[in-house]
C-alpha cells in the first residue's frame, strides 16, 4: 500500500535537515512532488530558501534526511537536474546556441538529439536572431530566457528555479512567467519554483509550499486550482494571495 | 542646414555615424604617425645642431645606414644583424614558450585543485622572488653559455607571471557557473575544463603579455653577461668599442621586435577572447 503511494511520486523529500555549524537552517522538511507538477516554495526573506535549493541540487549535502528522484537518492550525475539560478549564469564565452547545448553536452547526449532539442528551443523562445550572439550582447531578460531555455532543453527529471525574475520589472516578469508556463505545459517538466513574491507563486503554481522563518519548516501546503491563464485581479486570485500572505506573516 | 538634419532618413543617419567613426579612426592613425615623426625629428635636430655630444647620441640616418650595413657586415661584434636577431629570438621564444606550456597549466591546476596547490605552493613561493638573472652564474656552470642556459633564465622570468595569472584567473571563476556545471552532473574535471579554464582566459592572457616583457628584459641582461651573439651581446660590444650607433641600433631592433611580438599575441587574444570583443 505504502509502496504504491511512493511510486506515484517523481520526487520525494524526506526529513531534510541542515545545520551550518550551530546555525539551524532547515528543520525536518518533507514533501512529495508528482510527475509534471508545478510547485512553488515561498517564505519570508532569509528563511533559508536558497539553502533549501542548494540541498535539492546537491551543492550542499543535508545534515539529515534524503531526497529521492524516482525512488533513488538524487545524484546529479545519474539524474537529470536543471537549475535556473538567481544570478546570471550563462557562460559568457559561449554563444546563445552553445549555451543551450551546454548541459546536454555534459550529459553526453547524441549530437542529433542535441541539435533537435536546441532547434526546438530556439524556435519556442523566438531566439532565431540571437543564435550567434554572446550573452553580454543581450538584455538581462533575454539572457535569463536563455538560461531557462537551457534548463528546459535538458528535459530534466526535476527543474529548480531560484527567484529567476527577482531583478526584473513587473511587465517583464509577467511576460516571462507566461513563457515558463508555456514551456512547462509543452514539455511536461516537474518544476520547483522558489520565490519570495507571493503573487508570482499564486500565479504560477499548482501547489504552494509555505516555509516558516529560520529554522525553516513547512508551515502549510496550499493547492491552487484556478484555471489558466490566471487573472491577477480576479477575486478568487486575490483571496488566495491574501491567504498565503497571512500564512507567511503570522508564524 | 537645420532643415536637412531634421529630414535625414534612418539610413542617412547610420551612414553619417559610420562616416564619423571612420574619420576618427583616420585622425587617430595620423596622430600616431605624427608622434613618431616628431620624435625622430627632435632626435635628428638634437644631433644636427650638436646640442648633444656626438659620442653620446648619433643621428637617425646613421642608425638607418648602420642597419643596412649590418645586414651584411659582421663587424665589429662578429655577426650580421639577422644572425643576432635570430640568436636572440631563438633564446627568447624557447624560454618563453616553455614558460607558457608549463606555467599556465600549472597555474590552472594549482588554482583548481587545493591539494595540488598545497603541494606546489611552498616550492613556488621560494622560487618566485628570486630575480631571474641571479640564476646566470649557476646556469653557466650547468649548461655553458649556449642556448640552454639563457633559455632557462628567460623561462624563469616568464614562468612566474604566467603561473600567477592563470592561477588567479581560474580562482576567480564565478561560483554560480561552477554550480551550473555541477548540477548538470559534470565531474570536477569537466567543470575545470569547460568552466574554469575558459573563464580564466582573460587573466591568463594578461599573464602572457606581462611574460613576454619579462622575457625580453632578462634575455638582454643574460646576453650581456654570457653570449657570443645576439642583440644584447651586440649592444654590449657597441659599448666596448664606443659605438653609440651600434648600441642604439640594438635598442631600436629590440623595440621593434617587441612591438611585432605584442601584435602577434594580441591577435591570438582576439581570436581566443573573441566573445569579449564583439
Amino acid at each position: 500500500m505504502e509502496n504504491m503511494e511512493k511510486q506515484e511520486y517523481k520526487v520525494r523529500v524526506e526529513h531534510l535537515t541542515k545545520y551550518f555549524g550551530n546555525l539551524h537552517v532547515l528543520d525536518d522538511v518533507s514533501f512529495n512532488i508528482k510527475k509534471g507538477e508545478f510547485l512553488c516554495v515561498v517564505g519570508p526573506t532569509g528563511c533559508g530558501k536558497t539553502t533549501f535549493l542548494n540541498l535539492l541540487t546537491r551543492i550542499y549535502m543535508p545534515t539529515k534526511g534524503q531526497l529521492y528522484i524516482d525512488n533513488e537518492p538524487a545524484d546529479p550525475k545519474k539524474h537529470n537536474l536543471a537549475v535556473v539560478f538567481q544570478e546570471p549564469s550563462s557562460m559568457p564565452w559561449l554563444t546563445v546556441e552553445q549555451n543551450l547545448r551546454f548541459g546536454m553536452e555534459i550529459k553526453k547526449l547524441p549530437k542529433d538529439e542535441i541539435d533537435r532539442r536546441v532547434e526546438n528551443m530556439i524556435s519556442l523562445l523566438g531566439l532565431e536572431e540571437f543564435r550567434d550572439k554572446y550573452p553580454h550582447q543581450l538584455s538581462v531578460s533575454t539572457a535569463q530566457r536563455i538560461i531557462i531555455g537551457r534548463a528546459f532543453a535538458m528535459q530534466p527529471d526535476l527543474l529548480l528555479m531560484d527567484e529567476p525574475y527577482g531583478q526584473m520589472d513587473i511587465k517583464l516578469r509577467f511576460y516571462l512567467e507566461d513563457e515558463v508556463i508555456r514551456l512547462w505545459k509543452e514539455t511536461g517538466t516537474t518544476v520547483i519554483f522558489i520565490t519570495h513574491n507571493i503573487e508570482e507563486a499564486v500565479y504560477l503554481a499548482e501547489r504552494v509550499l509555505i516555509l516558516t522563518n529560520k529554522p525553516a519548516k513547512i508551515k502549510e501546503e496550499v493547492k491552487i486550482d484556478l484555471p489558466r491563464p490566471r487573472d491577477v485581479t480576479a477575486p478568487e486570485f486575490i483571496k488566495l494571495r491574501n491567504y498565503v500572505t497571512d500564512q507567511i506573516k503570522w508564524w | 542646414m537645420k532643415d536637412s538634419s531634421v529630414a535625414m532618413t534612418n539610413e542617412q543617419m547610420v551612414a553619417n555615424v559610420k562616416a564619423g567613426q571612420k574619420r576618427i579612426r583616420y585622425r587617430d592613425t595620423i596622430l600616431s604617425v605624427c608622434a613618431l615623426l616628431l620624435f625622430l625629428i627632435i632626435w635628428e635636430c638634437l644631433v644636427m645642431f650638436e646640442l648633444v655630444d656626438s659620442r653620446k647620441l648619433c643621428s637617425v640616418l646613421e642608425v638607418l645606414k648602420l642597419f643596412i650595413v649590418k645586414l651584411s657586415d659582421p663587424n665589429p661584434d662578429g655577426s650580421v644583424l639577422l644572425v643576432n636577431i635570430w640568436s636572440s629570438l631563438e633564446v627568447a621564444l624557447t624560454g618563453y614558450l616553455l614558460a607558457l606550456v608549463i606555467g599556465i597549466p600549472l597555474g590552472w591546476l594549482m588554482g583548481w585543485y587545493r591539494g595540488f596547490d598545497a603541494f606546489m605552493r611552498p616550492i613556488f613561493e621560494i622560487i618566485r622572488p628570486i630575480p631571474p638573472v641571479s640564476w646566470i652564474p649557476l646556469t653557466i656552470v650547468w649548461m655553458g653559455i649556449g642556448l640552454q642556459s639563457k633559455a632557462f633564465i628567460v623561462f624563469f622570468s616568464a614562468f612566474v607571471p604566467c603561473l600567477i595569472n592563470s592561477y588567479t584567473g581560474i580562482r576567480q571563476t564565478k561560483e554560480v557557473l561552477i554550480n551550473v556545471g555541477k548540477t548538470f552532473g559534470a565531474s570536477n574535471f569537466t567543470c575545470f575544463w569547460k568552466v574554469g579554464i575558459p573563464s580564466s582566459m582573460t587573466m591568463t592572457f594578461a599573464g602572457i603579455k606581462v611574460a613576454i616583457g619579462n622575457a625580453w628584459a632578462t634575455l638582454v641582461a643574460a646576453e650581456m653577461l654570457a653570449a657570443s651573439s645576439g642583440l644584447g651581446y651586440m649592444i654590449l660590444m657597441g659599448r666596448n668599442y664606443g659605438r653609440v650607433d651600434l648600441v642604439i641600433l640594438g635598442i631600436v631592433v629590440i623595440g621593434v621586435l617587441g612591438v611585432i611580438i605584442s601584435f602577434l599575441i594580441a591577435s591570438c587574444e582576439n581570436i581566443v577572447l573573441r566573445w569579449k570583443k564583439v
Side-chain angles (χ1 to χ4, degrees), chain B residues 37-101:
Chain B
L37 284 178
L38 188 69
F39 174 76
L40 292 176
I41 288 166
I42 291 174
W43 174 359
E44 194 65 29
C45 287
L46 284 177
V47 177
M48 216 180 343
F49 302 116
E50 295 186 355
L51 294 169
V52 181
D53 189 344
S54 67
R55 274 178 309 173
K56 293 181 186 161
L57 190 65
C58 66
S59 85
V60 180
L61 291 175
E62 274 174 69
V63 175
L64 207 65
K65 218 160 67 195
L66 181 66
F67 172 74
I68 292 161
V69 171
K70 266 309 271 180
L71 285 177
S72 56
D73 180 9
N75 288 319
D77 56 284
S79 315
V80 296
L81 187 60
L82 284 179
V83 170
N84 281 329
I85 290 177
W86 173 241
S87 145
S88 286
L89 267 182
E90 199 183 14
V91 174
L93 293 184
T94 310
Y96 180 62
L97 292 179
L98 263 172
L100 298 192
V101 169

Side-chain angles (χ1 to χ4, degrees), chain A residues 59 76 92-93 107 134 136 150, chain B residues 179 184-185 198-199 274-275 278:
Chain A
I59 289 167
W93 56 87
K107 282 280 183 236
Y134 290 95
H136 69 96
R150 179 175 71 187
Chain B
N179 283 343
F184 281 144
S199 83
R274 202 170 62 90
W275 57 273
V278 286

Side-chain angles (χ1 to χ4, degrees), chain A residues 57 59 76-77 81 83 85 87 89 92-93 103 106-107 134 136 150 154, chain B residues 176-177 179-180 182-187 194-195 198-199 274-276 278:
Chain A
T57 55
I59 289 167
K77 289 203 173 76
L81 296 178
V83 186
F85 292 95
E87 320 132 75
S89 61
W93 56 87
I106 283 181
K107 282 280 183 236
Y134 290 95
H136 69 96
R150 179 175 71 187
M154 295 290 287
Chain B
V176 65
L177 297 187
N179 283 343
V180 168
K182 273 192 203 161
T183 49
F184 281 144
S187 64
K194 289 203 146 189
V195 181
S199 83
R274 202 170 62 90
W275 57 273
K276 284 210 138 168
V278 286

Side-chain angles (χ1 to χ4, degrees), chain A residues 79-132:
Chain A
H79 292 112
N80 204 344
L81 296 178
V83 186
V84 176
F85 292 95
Q86 200 169 348
E87 320 132 75
S89 61
S90 50
M91 306 292 159
W93 56 87
L94 297 181
T95 62
V96 167
E97 189 184 336
Q98 290 165 335
N99 261 299
L100 289 173
R101 305 177 81 90
F102 183 81
M104 294 187 273
E105 276 171 0
I106 283 181
K107 282 280 183 236
K108 297 204 170 64
L109 294 180
K111 195 182 164 296
D112 49 335
E113 176 66 13
I114 298 180
D115 288 341
R116 200 181 56 73
R117 289 200 203 170
V118 165
E119 291 314 315
N120 185 24
M121 201 42 71
I122 284 178
S123 67
L124 264 177
L125 293 173
L127 290 171
E128 258 335 311
E129 53 176 324
F130 300 122
R131 181 190 278 271
D132 294 320

Side-chain angles (χ1 to χ4, degrees), chain B residues 154-199:
Chain B
V154 169
F155 167 78
F156 265 108
S157 70
F159 168 75
V160 172
C162 282
L163 191 146
I164 292 178
N165 277 277
S166 59
Y167 177 89
T168 316
I170 207 163
R171 269 294 169 97
Q172 286 172 353
T173 307
K174 277 202 202 143
E175 193 69 37
V176 65
L177 297 187
I178 299 173
N179 283 343
V180 168
K182 273 192 203 161
T183 49
F184 281 144
S187 64
N188 193 17
F189 179 77
T190 310
C191 284
F192 168 68
W193 186 251
K194 289 203 146 189
V195 181
I197 289 178
S199 83

